[in-house]
């Protein structure tokens, strides 16, 4: 796999998706973008999600042969029974690159013109299934800003070569180097740190866990805010906040939460999926520590359906402070052994 060429293609697609959505926000009534286009097993697909298919497919078709053929796994664009292969006359056995993609991660925020979404994509050499998150060798994430903003940040990484970024002016296409660094703070106290609880059911349970975590790490003082939170409804957005040094700790514990709630007959809510965390390589290359619920390196199958539980620490100091306390809380609730 030609890592640099794959990275350039994914960045080109990310920029094209960004430009299309950004222009749509300028031109259309936002209510049109919020129309439901399709209900899938993984998530609700909105019109804004479907619209970018006509941007992505031609670019993959045009460039795939030069890369040795591409197999695509993408939210809203493929299913387990109908994976896209490019060029279209290739069969799966000929393909040498697998791409996993979330064309718009954070749809709900951007379709209301409320907060940036992100194009997420990553690639691995392909010689057959199965493949896992740790097989990915290239990752790209591109910011899709709201209509009143005009700068888009793009970050990318090639395994064992570091993480890099650039900032693009959407008015004149001027590009500048983007320097970023995760927080080097030694504690979550005085910073942004959170357990994700975007959607019901079970938000109350996650909130209690977060309260217990914070109370065990610091004394709650009257009239003081000791830890802040940011419930960014986008896994890519959460990763971006960690990469920029804004957030120090994030945990998405929805899969074990829903597994426990299901024992009492409560329907599961929406969870994170592998395409939502496909850009985690950028975090790893930047020094962020990303684990599963057991504390192991996050490594999930590259598919559309697997529920993903992930925990991220801005650095080893934060991990040393938070992880033992969090593990005790999880064990106490019978979420881990």
């Amino acid at each position: 796999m030609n890592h640099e060429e794959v990275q350039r293609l994914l960045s080109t697609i990310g920029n094209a998706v960004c430009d299309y959505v950004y222009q749509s926000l300028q031109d259309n009534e936002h209510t049109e973008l919020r129309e439901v286009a399709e209900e899938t097993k993984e998530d609700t697909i909105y019109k804004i999600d479907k619209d970018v298919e006509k941007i992505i497919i031609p670019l993959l078709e045009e460039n795939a042969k030069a890369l040795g053929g591409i197999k695509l796994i993408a939210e809203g664009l493929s299913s387990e029974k109908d994976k896209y292969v490019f060029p279209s006359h290739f069969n799966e056995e000929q393909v040498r690159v697998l791409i996993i993609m979330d064309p718009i991660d954070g749809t709900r925020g951007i379709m209301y013109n409320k907060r940036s979404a992100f194009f997420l994509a990553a690639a691995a050499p392909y010689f057959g299934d199965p493949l896992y998150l740790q097989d990915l060798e290239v990752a790209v994430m591109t910011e899709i800003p709201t209509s009143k903003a005009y700068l888009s940040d793009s970050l990318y990484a090639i395994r064992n070569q570091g993480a890099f970024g650039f900032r693009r002016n959407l008015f004149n296409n001027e590009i500048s180097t983007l320097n970023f660094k995760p927080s080097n703070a030694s504690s979550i106290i005085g910073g942004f740190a959170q357990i994700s609880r975007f959607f019901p059911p079970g938000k109350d349970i996650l909130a209690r866990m977060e309260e217990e975590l914070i109370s065990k790490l610091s004394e709650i003082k009257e009239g003081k805010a000791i830890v802040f939170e940011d419930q960014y409804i986008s896994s890519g957005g959460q990763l971006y906040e960690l990469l920029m040094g804004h957030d120090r700790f994030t945990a998405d514990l929805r899969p074990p939460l829903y597994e426990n709630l299901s024992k009492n007959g409560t329907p599961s809510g929406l969870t994170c999926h592998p395409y939502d965390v496909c850009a985690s390589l950028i975090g790893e290359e930047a020094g962020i520590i990303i684990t599963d619920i057991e504390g192991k390196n996050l490594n999930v199958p590259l598919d559309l359906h697997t529920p993903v539980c992930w925990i991220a620490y801005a650095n080893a100091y934060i991990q040393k402070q938070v992880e033992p306390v969090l593990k005790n809380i999880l064990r106490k609730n019978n979420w881990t052994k």
Side-chain angles (χ1 to χ4, degrees), residues 169-207:
N169 185 315
L170 299 182
F171 289 162
N172 59 22
N173 214 35
E174 183 176 294
I175 292 176
S176 58
T177 300
L178 176 66
N179 296 312
F180 59 92
K181 183 180 179 182
S183 172
N184 61 4
S186 59
S187 172
I188 65 169
I189 306 306
F192 280 90
Q194 56 275 320
I195 294 177
S196 303
R197 50 188 187 280
F198 314 130
F199 314 113
K203 292 173 69 174
D204 57 330
I205 297 171
L206 295 172

Side-chain angles (χ1 to χ4, degrees), residues 10 13-14 17-18 42-45 48-49 52 56 72-78 99-108 117-122 140-144 233-237 270-279 303-304:
L10 296 182
I13 297 173
V17 169
C18 170
E42 299 80 44
D43 200 354
T44 300
I45 306 300
I48 190 174
D49 296 304
V52 300
I56 297 167
L72 176 69
I73 299 175
E75 184 190 25
L77 298 181
S78 60
I99 291 175
I100 183 168
M101 179 186 298
D102 190 347
I104 304 178
D105 184 61
T107 298
R108 291 164 180 83
F118 289 84
F119 166 85
L120 306 176
V140 168
M141 60 188 300
T142 302
E143 183 183 11
I144 306 170
I233 312 177
S234 163
S235 299
L270 179 64
T271 66
C272 177
H273 295 101
Y275 48 76
D276 294 307
V277 293
C278 71
D303 60 29
L304 292 172

Side-chain angles (χ1 to χ4, degrees), residues 52-204:
V52 300
E53 183 173 343
K54 60 189 176 186
I55 303 295
I56 297 167
I57 301 304
L59 285 169
L60 289 172
E61 187 70 32
E62 177 185 344
N63 291 276
K65 186 176 181 180
L67 296 175
I70 292 170
K71 175 179 173 180
L72 176 69
I73 299 175
E75 184 190 25
L77 298 181
S78 60
S79 70
E80 290 298 329
K81 295 181 180 179
D82 184 26
K83 297 185 178 75
Y84 276 98
V85 173
F86 303 93
S88 55
H89 64 272
F90 270 40
N91 59 50
E92 195 167 309
E93 288 70 31
Q94 294 174 276
V95 167
R96 290 296 170 260
V97 177
L98 180 135
I99 291 175
I100 183 168
M101 179 186 298
D102 190 347
I104 304 178
D105 184 61
T107 298
R108 291 164 180 83
I110 198 65
M111 73 185 187
Y112 280 93
N113 206 21
K114 181 180 176 68
R115 194 168 187 183
S116 290
F118 289 84
F119 166 85
L120 306 176
Y126 184 71
F127 297 98
D129 296 318
L131 286 177
Y132 294 84
L133 194 69
Q134 290 298 321
D135 293 316
L136 294 170
E137 296 182 1
V138 178
V140 168
M141 60 188 300
T142 302
E143 183 183 11
I144 306 170
T146 62
S147 64
K148 68 179 182 179
Y150 69 98
L151 299 175
S152 168
D153 288 350
S154 292
L155 292 77
Y156 63 92
I158 296 174
R159 188 170 293 281
N160 299 323
Q161 294 187 28
F164 307 92
F166 60 88
R167 177 166 288 170
R168 187 166 64 99
N169 185 315
L170 299 182
F171 289 162
N172 59 22
N173 214 35
E174 183 176 294
I175 292 176
S176 58
T177 300
L178 176 66
N179 296 312
F180 59 92
K181 183 180 179 182
S183 172
N184 61 4
S186 59
S187 172
I188 65 169
I189 306 306
F192 280 90
Q194 56 275 320
I195 294 177
S196 303
R197 50 188 187 280
F198 314 130
F199 314 113
K203 292 173 69 174
D204 57 330

